[in-house]
Amino acid sequence: MSEASVRDRTREFFLTAQSVRERMGMTSTKPPQPLQARKRFSQKAAQIGKDIHRTADKLNKLTKLAKSKSLFDDPAAEISELSYVITQDIQRLNEDLDELGSIHELEHTPNNQSNEHASSVKKCLQSNLKSTAESFAAVLQVRSENLQRQQNRRNEYSSSNAFSLNSSQPSFLRAAEPSMGAG
């Protein structure tokens, strides 16, 4: 048996289909655009999903940093930078979701199942982004509470009430003084 040669005859098929359409009175010669639009929609939706996941990963890192309660080794610069990056990501993702909606509106095919699917995908992505944004707000709240606690501890340890500045020595040394002077 010899190897059969493979030949792409797609163009011939479309030309034949076009001639049949013309004979039947259908003069529509538009290429199959809905497939390309659905492909764009799917690619954009997949990219948004990946970006939401990456943002959630950054949020997990921020959560660990924000929950740290070290009084002396506070990762404030890293927390601030990560918060800024996450804020930018969320804003960009909202814009991407709007763009996804525009792609869906342009595509709007007569196929109800396809439209319902696209609408469901968009709603799911919006829901995921919303929960990520809510988690971000909760992490920022935890961070604010931790900063307040740290400030209260600093004030407690550095206040003049912690050690009496009027006496020259702490109370435990004052109690030992009379016995030293008597002997």
Side-chain angles (χ1 to χ4, degrees), residues 18-37:
Q18 182 180 355
S19 69
V20 169
R21 276 191 219 116
E22 288 172 357
R23 279 189 228 140
M24 294 178 63
M26 298 182 204
T27 57
S28 175
T29 58
K30 290 195 312 185
Q33 289 295 332
L35 183 62
Q36 291 174 342

Side-chain angles (χ1 to χ4, degrees), residues 11-159:
R11 181 164 166 69
E12 291 175 44
F13 172 77
F14 280 115
L15 289 173
T16 304
Q18 182 180 355
S19 69
V20 169
R21 276 191 219 116
E22 288 172 357
R23 279 189 228 140
M24 294 178 63
M26 298 182 204
T27 57
S28 175
T29 58
K30 290 195 312 185
Q33 289 295 332
L35 183 62
Q36 291 174 342
R38 281 193 299 255
K39 185 176 177 183
R40 271 191 9 188
F41 180 87
S42 297
Q43 287 173 340
K44 186 70 172 176
Q47 185 61 47
I48 291 171
K50 289 176 187 175
D51 290 345
I52 290 172
H53 181 73
R54 284 189 201 108
T55 301
D57 286 345
K58 292 174 192 174
L59 182 59
N60 286 336
K61 183 176 181 183
L62 178 65
T63 301
K64 289 176 185 173
L65 292 172
K67 288 184 177 181
S68 69
K69 296 181 180 180
S70 174
L71 187 59
F72 302 107
D73 188 26
D74 186 38
E78 191 174 358
I79 288 173
S80 177
E81 180 182 336
L82 207 48
S83 296
Y84 176 77
V85 169
I86 291 171
T87 301
Q88 295 299 313
D89 286 352
I90 289 172
Q91 288 175 352
R92 184 183 43 76
L93 285 166
N94 276 318
E95 292 169 3
D96 288 349
L97 281 170
D98 290 342
E99 184 180 336
L100 186 68
S102 298
I103 292 171
H104 173 62
E105 288 172 10
L106 288 174
E107 170 198 315
H108 201 71
T109 64
N111 182 348
N112 284 338
Q113 185 178 7
S114 177
N115 290 332
E116 287 177 21
H117 172 72
S119 181
S120 295
V121 167
K122 185 179 176 199
K123 285 178 185 176
C124 181
L125 291 171
Q126 286 173 329
S127 175
N128 289 345
L129 181 58
K130 181 182 177 188
S131 67
T132 300
E134 288 170 351
S135 297
F136 180 53
V139 168
L140 293 179
Q141 180 65 35
V142 166
R143 174 65 178 160
S144 295
E145 291 169 1
N146 283 347
L147 285 176
Q148 185 63 41
R149 283 191 210 111
Q150 285 178 359
Q151 186 61 40
N152 290 344
R153 279 185 277 176
R154 282 189 192 109
N155 290 341
E156 182 181 320
Y157 292 122
S158 66
S159 71

